[in-house]
């Protein structure tokens, strides 16, 4: 861009396929980040944008002209089921928010997460919960003790990321 930086939008949608039919809301972008790279100085900034940030966005699909940032991709995508159109709309809106020209994008889903974690041999996570028992989520089947260092493969990392404490008897996640 005019500042000598390469700006990359990184966003995620839910599910293990790029299909809006996975469930209602599968094409909302709940993870939105922009990486800004100065290749001459080997300098990188990573910024996270709040999914619930209120923005102007003409969205005939949802019948409104403003809403949450996480709706921008879906609104543009839904017109012709066009991933690129959705990504370009989110690039423009993210750039508008940050005052940057965003040139590229990465669109990831749950498959990408599991593959990335597996590609690096897994990740180690120290379990820190306000509940002395640790974490238990019956929907995903995860159970970890407080203070435990858990080595997670891609599947287990996805389960931990999706855990929500939605069911009676679950504990450890606020």
């Amino acid at each position: 861009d005019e500042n000598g930086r390469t700006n990359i939008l990184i966003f995620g949608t839910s599910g293990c396929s790029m299909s809006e039919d996975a469930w209602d809301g599968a094409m909302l972008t709940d993870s939105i980040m922009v990486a800004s790279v100065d290749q001459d100085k080997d300098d990188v900034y990573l910024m996270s944008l709040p999914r619930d940030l209120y923005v102007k966005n003409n969205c005939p699909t949802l019948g409104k002209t403003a809403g949450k940032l996480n709706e921008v991709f879906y609104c543009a995508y839904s017109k012709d089921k066009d991933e690129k159109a959705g990504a370009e709309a989110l690039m423009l809106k993210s750039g508008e928010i940050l005052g940057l020209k965003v040139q590229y994008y990465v669109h990831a889903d749950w498959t990408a997460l599991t593959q990335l974690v597996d590609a690096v041999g897994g990740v180690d996570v120290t379990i820190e919960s306000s509940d002395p028992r640790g974490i238990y989520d019956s929907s995903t089947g995860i159970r970890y003790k407080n203070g435990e260092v858990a080595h997670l493969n891609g599947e287990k990392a996805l389960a931990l990321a999706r855990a929500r404490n939605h069911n009676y008897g679950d504990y450890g996640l606020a």
Side-chain angles (χ1 to χ4, degrees), residues 9 11-14 18-30 32 57-64 68-91 93 107:
L9 171 70
F11 68 95
T13 50
S14 298
M18 299 291 182
S19 170
E20 71 176 288
D21 298 328
W23 58 78
D24 185 37
M27 297 308 277
L28 297 177
T29 54
D30 287 350
I32 308 165
N57 180 38
N58 186 16
C59 185
T61 303
L62 298 176
K64 53 187 177 176
K68 295 179 181 182
L69 179 61
N70 76 338
E71 297 169 344
V72 172
F73 172 82
Y74 174 69
C75 289
Y77 162 87
S78 63
K79 182 179 179 188
D80 294 316
K81 308 297 185 215
D82 185 347
E83 177 192 10
K84 185 176 180 184
E88 288 175 348
L90 189 55
M91 288 167 56
K93 189 55 67 176
H107 179 187

Side-chain angles (χ1 to χ4, degrees), residues 59-152:
C59 185
T61 303
L62 298 176
K64 53 187 177 176
T65 57
K68 295 179 181 182
L69 179 61
N70 76 338
E71 297 169 344
V72 172
F73 172 82
Y74 174 69
C75 289
Y77 162 87
S78 63
K79 182 179 179 188
D80 294 316
K81 308 297 185 215
D82 185 347
E83 177 192 10
K84 185 176 180 184
E88 288 175 348
L90 189 55
M91 288 167 56
L92 283 171
K93 189 55 67 176
S94 299
E96 179 183 305
I97 292 164
L98 296 171
L100 300 171
K101 179 181 179 193
V102 180
Q103 299 97 343
Y104 302 101
Y105 72 90
V106 175
H107 179 187
D109 62 5
W110 292 347
T111 300
L113 171 68
T114 58
Q115 289 175 345
L116 285 168
V117 171
D118 287 341
V120 297
V123 293
D124 291 331
V125 176
T126 302
I127 305 302
E128 296 178 358
S129 171
S130 58
D131 189 303
R133 298 172 291 180
I135 296 172
Y136 172 65
D137 183 85
S138 59
S139 294
T140 60
I142 64 160
R143 184 186 305 264
Y144 297 107
K145 294 179 181 171
N146 225 5
E148 176 182 354
V149 177
H151 183 76
L152 308 178

